Amino acid sequence: MGINFILFSERLGRVLAGEEVTLPDAAKQPIQNLHAETEIVTSWLREFENETSWLMVEKIGEEEIDDLDLATVMDEINCFTYESERVIDTFINSITQQKSQSSCSKDIFYALQGLQSRITKIKQRVQQLKHIDPEIMDDFRSVEAESGYFPASSSSKNRNTVGLDDRMEELLDLSIEGPTQLSVVAILDSIGLDKTAFTAEAYNSSYVKHYFDYLTWIPAPYQYDPDQILDIVTVILLLFSMLSKIKDKDYEMKKIILGEYLMTKRYLIVLDDVWSTELFDAIREILPDNQNGSRVLITLTLIEMVTSFQFENGENVRLDIVPTGGPLRVTYQGWPFLILYHGSISLEQNIEEAIEGPMGRLTVISCKLPFHLKLCFLYLSVFPAHLEISTRQLYHLWIAEGFIPDNSEATAEKYLEQLINRGFVKANKRRTGGTIHTCSIPCRCRPVLLAVASEVEFIFLSFMVSERKSKKNVKRINVFYKQSDFVHFVDDDSHMHSLLYFTSKSDHLDPIDWGIICLMLEFLRVLDLGSLVLIQYPSGIENLFLLRYLKLNIPSLKILPSSLLSNLLNLYTLDMPFSYIDHTADEFTLHARNTA
C-alpha cells in the first residue's frame, strides 16, 4: 500500500535534482516544500508497513476491514498522488515545450499551494493513527520471519525436474499426434511443477507453431460465460477486418461466423488457470469440431475438478486413483479429455502440500519485500503468463519507470537475481557468462502478483475488469487481446504513464488509434506497441516529451527523423527491431548513450 505515493515522492527528488527538467528558480522552493511533506508521510508509510500490508490482505480477500480510519487515509493518499502527478507532469511538459512562463508559473504555484495544504492535512491525520492491536496481527506476524523468502521446498524442486523432457515430449505428442477430433488436454496443478511455464514451452515450440494454423493463449481470470468466451476467442482469432462485421451480431450469429472461419483451419487454444468445469461447457458450445486435430489445452488449478470426469465404463474419477504418469483418458459429459498429472506423489498428498502455502501467506510475503524489489516484482504483471521475458527488455522498462536509481542494467540484474533467490521469479536461460537471458513468473506467484498489482492500482490489466476497481488512478495499462482495447481503456482519462501492447497478432495500427495516443496520452513515459505494424513513421510522437522508452514496429522505415531525438530529451531506450535504419540524423549520435 502507498506504493504510488512513495514513487511520487522519489520522483519529486529527481525533479529537484534536475534529472527530468531544469526548474525555474521560482518553482524550486514550492516543490521543495511539497517534497519535504511527502517524505514525512513516506516515513510513516514505512513505519506502518505491517498495518498497510494487513489492510492489503483484507482487501484482496474481500474481508471486513479492521481499521477503517487507516483505509480512509490510504484512499486519501492515493487520490492525492494521482492529482499531484498530474500537476507535476503538466508543469514539466509546459517547461519542455517552452510555453509562456507567466501564465504557466501562476497556475503551477496555485496548484502547488493546494497540494501543499492537502498533504499537510494528510500528514496530520497519519500522525494520529495508532498501530493495530497486536492480537489482530498474530496471523500476520506468524509469517513475518519468513517474509523475505518463498522458495519451493527441496522435494518440490526435485519433482519439478525429474523426467521433464519425457513429459514435454508426451505433451507434444498429445497435441500433435492425438485423435483427429477436437479434444482437450488438461494439465493438473502439481506442487513443484510450474504448469504455466510447462504449457508455455509446448505452446512456443516450433513443432506446435508449424502444426497449427492458429494459436491463441487466453490468460486467467475470465468469466465462465459462453458469451464472454465467444467474444474473446473471436477477437483473438478473427482477422481485424472481420471484427467490425460481427460487432453488433447476436450470440448465435457470432458462433456461426466463428465456425465458418475455423472450418478449414487447425487451431490450438490455451486456457490457463481454470477453476471451474463451467468453462468446459462454454468452449464446447462455441468451438467447432472440424475433425482435423484441433486442440484445447487447459491448465487446471483446482485439483478436485478431476472428480467431474468419468472413465469409459462410466465410473467417476477419484483422487486416489489418478496415476502420476499419464495420460489419463477420461470424458466430461461424453467429451474426450486427456489428463496429465506430472507429480511423483498422490493427488491427495499434493492437495495437502498446496494447502500449507495458501495465497494469503504469499500475499503477506510479497507485501514485506523491500520497496525496490516490490516495485520490480509488481511490474512483472505487465507480461502475459506464457511469455518468456527478455531481461534486456525488462531492465530497460524498469529503468524507464524510475525503479533503478542509477539507470544501471547491472543494478537491474542484481535486483532480478534477488527476486529469483527469494522464489518470486524463475531464471529460464542464462548466457555463457552466467547473466540471465530470459525469465518467467512461477505459476504459484502469478495469482498474488495480479491481485496485489491490481489492488494497489499499480496497473490496469485489460483482462481483469473489476466493477469495484477504477482506472482513474492507474498509470499503466497492458493490452493482451486487441489494439482497440487500449482505446477503450484510455477513453475517459489521459493521465497514463505506460502503455504496453502484448499480443502475437501483427495487426496494423489504426491511424485513429495513433491519433488518440498522441492526443490523449501526452504524459507517457513508456510506449511499447509490440507487434503492431505502422505503415510509416507516426506524426505527433515528438510531442510525447516525457517518453523514456519507445518500441515501434515500422518495417518500411529507413531514415530516423531528426525531430524524434531532438524533442524527446528524456528518451533512454529506442527499440525498433523490425526496422532497417540505413541513415540517421546527426542528433541520433548525440543521444546514442541514452538509446538501445
Side-chain angles (χ1 to χ4, degrees), residues 312-325:
E312 291 182 356
N313 61 7
E315 179 186 357
N316 287 336
V317 176
R318 303 195 314 270
L319 293 179
D320 60 344
I321 61 175
V322 174
T324 58

Side-chain angles (χ1 to χ4, degrees), residues 57-71:
V57 174
E58 291 176 324
K59 286 191 172 185
I60 289 177
E62 298 185 357
E63 302 173 5
E64 184 178 352
I65 304 300
D66 289 321
D67 192 335
L68 293 176
D69 288 339
L70 176 64

Side-chain angles (χ1 to χ4, degrees), residues 423-439:
F424 287 95
V425 182
K426 176 185 175 183
N428 290 54
K429 297 175 184 175
R430 290 184 180 267
R431 301 180 181 88
T432 304
T435 58
I436 308 166
H437 180 53
T438 61
C439 64

